[in-house]
Amino acid sequence: MQPLVEIAEVEKHYGDFHALKNINLTIGKGEVVVVIGPSGSGKSTLCRTINRLETITSGSITIDGKELPKEGKGLAALRADVGMVFQSFNLFAHKTILENVTLGPMKVRGVKKADAVKEAHALLERVGVAQQESKLPAQLSGGQQQRVAIARALAMKPKVMLFDEPTSALDPEMINEVLDVMVGLAKEGMTMVVVTHEMGFARKAADRVVFMADGEIVEQATPEEFFTNPKSGRAKDFLSKLITH
Ligand SMILES: Nc1ncnc2c1ncn2[C@@H]1O[C@H](COP(=O)(O)OP(=O)(O)O)[C@@H](O)[C@H]1O
Ligand SMILES: [Mg+2]
């Protein structure tokens, strides 16, 4: 396994609060890691530190062998290597769907407009929203907006994609249309870190499940192993609640 993201001895404090405790996690090229755990366990914080939306207190995070710079041009370039899709769709409200997908590549990657448009067409086709490209985000359903958010992130040609509960804000009937796009990406070999409560997705697409509680990685295993034979009390407790609700 060739490492793509290497997180070593990472600590994160918010003031007095210890949000990430000695996180060590290496994600290989093409690997799909699903992160699960109770609310407040540090899953979003972990995602946000990987592309430096949050700074870390100590430790190191490298992407493709390069340590994340603290600021400046280097940071912008490295951040462009990390695509991120959040729970809320975060599209530019006053830009069309097509503009949402072409802006980043043109501004950050210096892609020519004609090329950015061509690529955006292909991506919007792939996520199944090509017919909507001249609309504004608010004119689309939540599931469609989230698929545009994925297309927008992919347009930057990221090395790794982070998903932080991408289906949590969606109506139930729209969840699968987003998960299907993610399963497709996983199958094509995209390196992915996915925070989700969708255990079906974890079983179908994850190479590894990482279980977090109280800012720590408590255990990690293949989905098969983790779901049939969780080792820690915390994981057993978490899974039993998922099943009964
Ligand atoms: N900006 C912040 N300032 C202070 N505390 C924060 C901040 N962001 C998150 N936290 C705290 O850090 C802990 C982990 O949060 P988070 O990473 O969002 O957890 P999760 O995504 O697993 O629900 C929570 O207790 C949360 O209240
Ligand atoms: Mg979260």
Side-chain angles (χ1 to χ4, degrees):
M1 182 180 86
Q2 202 182 342
L4 183 65
V5 180
E6 292 179 275
I7 302 168
E9 296 175 4
V10 163
E11 307 279 347
K12 167 72 183 173
H13 293 82
Y14 293 112
D16 289 341
F17 184 75
H18 201 171
L20 293 178
K21 300 169 185 163
N22 190 31
I23 300 291
N24 292 284
L25 183 64
T26 299
I27 298 154
K29 276 202 177 116
E31 195 182 9
V32 178
V33 172
V34 164
V35 180
I36 65 174
S39 178
S41 56
K43 307 180 298 295
S44 294
T45 302
L46 178 64
C47 277
R48 294 167 63 82
T49 59
I50 294 175
N51 66 353
R52 277 235 192 261
L53 288 172
E54 293 286 354
T55 57
I56 54 179
T57 312
S58 62
S60 74
I61 301 177
T62 61
I63 293 173
D64 219 2
K66 281 173 277 179
E67 182 144 8
L68 280 183
K70 289 205 168 46
E71 54 201 16
K73 272 208 170 127
L75 177 57
L78 253 186
R79 213 177 252 164
D81 287 341
V82 182
M84 182 138 183
V85 176
F86 302 89
Q87 179 175 335
S88 51
F89 317 125
N90 288 106
L91 296 173
F92 305 120
H94 304 292
K95 304 273 183 206
T96 66
I97 296 308
L98 182 66
E99 288 165 342
N100 263 278
V101 180
T102 55
L103 263 172
M106 286 163 60
K107 285 204 161 164
V108 181
R109 297 275 196 214
V111 176
K112 289 203 199 84
K113 183 167 183 186
D115 294 333
V117 167
K118 200 171 155 202
E119 176 70 15
H121 283 153
L123 285 168
L124 290 170
E125 188 75 47
R126 173 172 168 189
V127 301
V129 287
Q131 308 308 315
Q132 322 287 333
E133 67 166 48
S134 37
K135 292 185 181 168
L136 292 172
Q139 296 173 283
L140 271 59
S141 73
Q144 289 173 325
Q145 288 185 56
Q146 199 60 310
R147 285 181 283 147
V148 173
I150 294 171
R152 184 177 62 171
L154 291 174
M156 297 294 281
K157 306 228 185 300
K159 291 178 177 167
V160 52
M161 285 281 288
L162 310 177
F163 294 86
D164 189 0
E165 301 202 25
T167 59
S168 296
L170 295 177
D171 292 334
E173 73 271 22
M174 293 172 188
I175 291 175
N176 279 331
E177 65 194 40
V178 173
L179 292 177
D180 287 348
V181 170
M182 292 166 60
V183 169
L185 267 182
K187 286 198 177 134
E188 287 162 29
M190 175 59 78
T191 307
M192 295 164 63
V193 178
V194 183
V195 178
T196 185
H197 298 296
E198 297 292 335
M199 299 303 135
F201 173 83
R203 282 180 184 274
K204 211 185 293 177
D207 296 303
R208 186 156 44 128
V209 172
V210 168
F211 175 73
M212 289 184 72
D214 293 329
E216 286 177 293
I217 293 177
V218 176
E219 61 180 281
Q220 41 183 314
T222 62
E224 173 68 21
E225 242 171 80
F226 180 77
F227 291 119
T228 53
N229 188 22
K231 303 262 181 310
S232 64
R234 293 297 306 257
K236 284 177 191 165
D237 184 51
F238 178 77
L239 287 174
S240 72
K241 281 174 185 152
L242 275 189
I243 290 158
T244 51
H245 282 220

